[in-house]
Amino acid sequence: MNFIEQIIEEDIRQGKNDAKVHTRFPPEPNGYLHIGHAKSICLNFGIAKKYNGKCNLRFDDTNPVKEDTEYVDSIKEDIQWLGFQWAAEFYASDYFDQLYLWAEQLISEGLAYVDDQTQEEISKGRGVPTAPGVESPYRNRTVEENLDLFRRMRAGEFPDGSRVLRAKIDMASPNMHFRDPIMYRILHATHHRTGDKWCIYPMYDFAHGQSDSIEGITHSICTLEFEVHRPLYDWFCEALRIHHPQQIEFARLNMTNTIMSKRKMLQLVKEHHVNGWDDPRMPTICGLRRRGYTPESIRNFAETVGVAKRDNIIDVSLLEFCAREHLNKVATRTMAVLDPVKLIIDNYPDDLVEEMEAVNNPEDPEAGTRKVPFAKELWIERADFRENADKKFYRLSIDREVRLKYAYIIKCTHIVKDEAGNVTEIHCTYDPNTRSGMPDRNRKVKATIHWATVKYSKKAEVRIFDRLFAVPDPDNCEEGKTFIDNLNPDSLKIQDGWVEPDLTLEKAMKIKYFQFERLGYFYADPDSTEERLVFNKTVSLKQ
Ligand code: ATP
Ligand code: MG
C-alpha cells in the first residue's frame, strides 16, 4: 500500500467525505500524453477502482493559446487504450462563469484587487523569499473601483497585459505563491471551446482547486511541484467557503534516455527530429502503442515503479522488462530473417515443399499451431553462420550441425563467396530422419536456428529503434547546448526482412503483437499495406 492509499484508507475509516473516494485526471490539452501521464492515470483511476470510487477526466483548458481539440481527442483515446473509463468528462472552461462570480465575490469581500502594474513590475514587487515584497500602488483600491475595473476587463475594454486581478493575501509571506497571486489575466484569444466569449482567463491556481471543489473531488492528486501551491489551493477554498478537497503530491516519473515534457516533445515533432507524436521512439502513449507496448505492460510498469515522495529517475530498461514479460505471454510466434544469407540443402529434392508444423505460442496452448512451407533454398541469419568458429560458437559452421527450427538437422558442407569475400551461399545436407515424427527426431544438437524459404517467404519492412537520446539525462547539457544536441543520430534503422508467407495484411493487423523467434518482439505498424508489411521492433528478447 502506498502513502496515498494510506491517507485515503484513514479518511475512509474516519468517515471523511461520507467515506467516498473521488479522484480526477486533469490534463491540459496542449499536447499528447506521455508515459509520465500514464503513471498519473494509473494512479488516479486505479485508486478510484480500488476504493469503489469515481475518477473524472477534466481538461484543464484555461490557456486558450496553446490548446486544441486535436489534443483533447488524443488524450481520450490514450486513456481508454490504457484500459480506463472516466466517470464524467469535464472542462475547466465549463466553470468560467462560476469562477468569474467567485472572483467578484472575493473582490466584494476586499480579498482581490485589479493591478495596473506591468508583468515586470509585479514580479519585481514580489521580491525574493528571504525578504518581504513591496505592495502594489493599486493594492488599496476601493471595492467599487475594483468591481468596475474587473467588469471592464471582462467587457474587453483593455488590451492584453494591461491589468490583472490579484488576490490580496500577504506580500511578506515566505511562500512566494502567497504574495498576491494573479487570479485573472487579459487575453484576447479564441478558446477551443468557449470561442470569443471570454477575454479574461483564470490562472491555474484560481481554477484548479475550484474545479476540483465543484466536482466533489475528495483527493486531488498531483505532482510534487505543486506542493508549494497547496497553501494557496487551501486558501481559495477557505476564502470562498466551498467544498475543500485534499491535495496530495507525489513524485513525477522521470525516465532515462528520454524527455518528459509536452513542450519539448512538441519541439521534436515541429522540427522533424521524429516522425510525429506517435513516432515509436517517442515517450508518448501513442508512440509506445505504435512501438508495440501493450496497455498491460504500461500498467504493470506504473505499478512496479510505485508512488514516491521524492524525485527519482527510473531506468528505461524497467519499462522494457515489463513489455517483455507481457509480450512473452501474448505475442504470436513467427519466423523472420532480417539479415539473410542463402542456405542450400544439396540433398533435398528440388521441387519438394513440406509443410512444417510450428507452435504459435508455447506459453498459450490454445494459440495452436500453423504450417510453414519448407524447401531446398532457405534464408538464414548471417549471424548464425561463422566460417572460423571457435568452440564457443554453437551455431552453423563448416562440418557442424544445427537444427532448423520445426524441421531437420542439417550439416554444413561448403560455402561460396563473392569477389569481396562475402559469403553468398551456404551449402549443407539434411538428415531426413530428424524431422518431427521420424526416428531420430530427438537427436540433440547444440543449436536451433530459424529460417525462411527463398521461394515462398514475403519481404517486409522492419524498423529497428535505438534510444532517442544518446545520454541518460538529455536535459543535462553543456553551456550553449540543448536537449536537441543529445539526440541519438542512429535511433532509427530501416531494413528488409523475410517473413512467413501466410502473414497477410489482415492477419498481421489482427494479431499485432509478434515474437520473431530468437530476435525479439515486433509490432505490425499501421503503415503496412497488402504489398508491404511494416514491423516495428518493440524490444529484444533479452536485455
Ligand atoms: P508537461 O510538463 O509534460 O506539460 P504537465 O504536468 O504540464 O506536463 P498536465 O497536462 O498538466 O501536464 O498533466 C496532467 C496530470 O499529469 C497532472 O496531474 C500532472 O501532475 C501529471 N503528470 C504530468 N507529468 C507527469 C509525470 N512525469 N509523472 C507523473 N505525473 C505526471
Ligand atoms: Mg501542466
Side-chain angles (χ1 to χ4, degrees):
M1 186 165 49
N2 63 54
F3 78 96
I4 297 179
E5 292 172 347
Q6 278 171 8
I7 294 172
I8 290 176
E9 293 199 5
E10 183 56 27
D11 287 347
I12 293 172
R13 207 171 299 122
Q14 292 182 5
K16 205 172 153 187
N17 307 305
D18 301 326
K20 288 200 172 69
V21 174
H22 200 158
T23 58
R24 86 287 171 263
F25 174 65
E28 185 180 354
N30 62 347
Y32 283 66
L33 298 181
H34 53 59
I35 181 78
H37 294 112
K39 163 86 220 165
S40 175
I41 291 167
C42 291
L43 184 58
N44 278 295
F45 284 93
I47 281 176
K49 194 168 177 198
K50 179 165 178 182
Y51 297 105
N52 261 321
K54 288 181 186 165
C55 181
N56 289 354
L57 169 60
R58 183 192 328 126
F59 291 99
D60 209 337
D61 57 347
T62 53
N63 185 1
V65 184
K66 292 185 188 157
E67 295 159 2
D68 198 88
T69 43
E70 174 198 347
Y71 301 132
V72 170
D73 296 339
S74 76
I75 288 169
K76 292 203 273 189
E77 184 186 353
D78 288 349
I79 296 172
Q80 286 174 321
W81 179 75
L82 278 174
F84 299 107
Q85 186 56 55
W86 44 92
E89 175 184 334
F90 292 120
Y91 294 79
S93 56
D94 295 338
Y95 312 135
F96 282 172
D97 286 297
Q98 177 64 72
L99 291 168
Y100 178 83
L101 291 175
W102 278 332
E104 285 208 352
Q105 179 186 328
L106 293 184
I107 294 171
S108 303
E109 294 178 14
L111 293 173
Y113 63 97
V114 173
D115 195 342
D116 302 357
Q117 293 185 106
T118 62
Q119 191 58 51
E120 293 73 50
E121 287 166 336
I122 289 175
S123 52
K124 198 152 164 265
R126 282 224 172 90
V128 293
T130 46
V134 179
E135 293 189 356
S136 163
Y138 305 96
R139 196 173 198 260
N140 295 313
R141 281 178 155 150
T142 62
V143 168
E144 290 67 35
E145 192 183 0
N146 279 320
L147 269 182
D148 175 59
L149 284 171
F150 187 52
R151 285 172 186 165
R152 286 165 62 196
M153 275 169 66
R154 178 190 183 168
E157 285 189 29
F158 309 121
D160 289 1
S162 58
R163 287 187 165 85
V164 293
L165 183 72
R166 296 177 75 177
K168 194 171 179 177
I169 307 182
D170 179 5
M171 288 304 288
S173 171
N175 183 337
M176 298 298 282
H177 296 278
F178 258 30
R179 295 190 181 178
D180 292 8
I182 297 173
M183 294 164 56
Y184 270 92
R185 63 200 193 288
I186 302 173
L187 209 57
H188 291 267
T190 304
H191 187 280
H192 69 102
R193 296 191 83 236
T194 57
D196 294 321
K197 179 175 175 191
W198 297 91
C199 61
I200 55 170
Y201 289 94
M203 303 298 288
Y204 172 89
D205 285 315
F206 192 67
H208 201 89
Q210 288 88 319
S211 303
D212 285 343
S213 179
I214 292 169
E215 293 173 22
I217 300 303
T218 56
H219 300 86
S220 175
I221 300 165
C222 61
T223 39
L224 273 185
E225 67 270 26
F226 292 102
E227 192 171 13
V228 285
H229 293 249
R230 186 178 354 120
L232 187 54
Y233 182 110
D234 294 339
W235 190 89
F236 280 126
C237 286
E238 297 297 317
L240 293 167
R241 300 177 292 278
I242 55 178
H243 164 67
H244 188 162
Q246 181 181 1
Q247 178 180 306
I248 307 171
E249 307 87 16
F250 73 102
R252 58 193 296 130
L253 174 74
N254 299 302
M255 211 163 62
T256 55
N257 298 83
T258 192
I259 44 129
M260 209 85 87
S261 142
K262 283 183 280 193
R263 183 179 58 78
K264 288 179 186 154
M265 295 194 307
L266 182 64
Q267 190 180 342
L268 291 176
V269 172
K270 281 208 164 144
E271 295 178 0
H272 303 288
H273 300 291
V274 294
N275 301 315
W277 289 96
D278 68 347
D279 186 302
R281 293 165 293 177
M282 287 281 271
T284 48
I285 296 177
C286 55
L288 294 168
R289 172 163 67 232
R290 194 162 177 184
R291 178 76 173 252
Y293 277 79
T294 57
E296 288 86 346
S297 61
I298 295 177
R299 293 202 303 263
N300 190 24
F301 169 73
E303 182 68 29
T304 308
V305 164
V307 183
K309 274 192 199 179
R310 276 185 210 297
D311 279 317
N312 56 3
I313 301 177
I314 304 295
D315 198 303
V316 63
S317 62
L318 179 62
L319 182 61
E320 294 170 346
F321 172 84
C322 293
R324 278 187 202 102
E325 204 181 41
H326 187 240
L327 288 170
N328 180 44
K329 292 185 199 136
V330 299
T332 295
R333 272 55 169 177
T334 187
M335 290 194 289
V337 175
L338 302 188
D339 183 16
V341 60
K342 198 178 268 184
L343 179 83
I344 300 166
I345 310 171
D346 290 319
N347 62 339
Y348 195 84
D350 285 350
D351 299 325
L352 181 61
V353 182
E354 291 180 273
E355 297 281 332
M356 300 302 180
E357 186 166 38
V359 177
N360 287 333
N361 184 352
E363 303 288 319
D364 175 12
E366 295 198 353
T369 61
R370 68 187 184 284
K371 295 276 200 287
V372 188
F374 182 88
K376 185 184 180 84
E377 293 199 353
L378 305 173
W379 297 119
I380 63 168
E381 297 291 342
R382 202 163 271 280
D384 283 335
F385 175 82
R386 210 176 274 176
E387 190 179 0
N388 301 306
D390 61 16
K391 285 215 179 71
K392 283 193 204 132
F393 186 81
Y394 293 136
R395 289 163 283 164
L396 201 57
S397 189
I398 293 166
D399 288 333
R400 292 207 200 162
E401 285 187 321
V402 294
R403 178 176 287 280
L404 293 173
K405 184 124 197 185
Y406 305 121
Y408 299 102
I409 291 177
I410 55 159
K411 183 174 192 174
C412 176
T413 53
H414 63 286
I415 56 175
V416 178
K417 293 187 195 176
D418 63 13
E419 280 165 15
N422 301 310
V423 178
T424 53
E425 285 177 8
I426 300 170
H427 287 262
C428 66
T429 56
Y430 82 118
D431 177 350
N433 278 327
T434 54
R435 190 188 162 173
S436 102
M438 300 298 280
D440 286 345
R441 65 184 177 275
N442 290 327
R443 184 151 77 81
K444 290 272 177 280
V445 285
K446 286 216 169 107
T448 298
I449 65 173
H450 62 276
W451 47 271
T453 54
V454 169
K455 190 161 177 194
Y456 300 103
S457 64
K458 284 169 88 165
K459 210 179 207 179
E461 177 176 326
V462 181
R463 299 173 182 170
I464 296 184
F465 309 101
D466 197 354
R467 308 258 189 260
L468 184 53
F469 291 94
V471 297
D473 183 4
D475 285 320
N476 184 4
C477 350
E478 297 164 32
E479 278 242 353
K481 302 221 162 175
T482 72
F483 73 103
I484 296 289
D485 296 295
N486 284 326
L487 280 165
N488 174 5
D490 300 315
S491 59
L492 170 62
K493 204 169 89 191
I494 297 178
Q495 60 187 74
D496 283 337
W498 294 101
V499 299
E500 292 182 17
D502 73 330
L503 266 185
T504 58
L505 177 66
E506 194 190 344
K507 188 173 169 190
M509 285 302 155
K510 189 163 156 255
I511 293 173
K512 292 196 289 229
Y513 303 104
F514 290 92
Q515 184 194 101
F516 288 0
E517 294 209 43
R518 301 181 58 238
L519 296 178
Y521 294 101
F522 289 79
Y523 182 73
D525 190 88
D527 280 350
S528 296
T529 62
E530 206 69 72
E531 290 70 43
R532 190 172 175 80
L533 295 177
V534 178
F535 291 94
N536 297 325
K537 184 170 181 182
T538 312
V539 66
S540 56
L541 286 184
K542 290 196 193 101
Q543 201 176 336

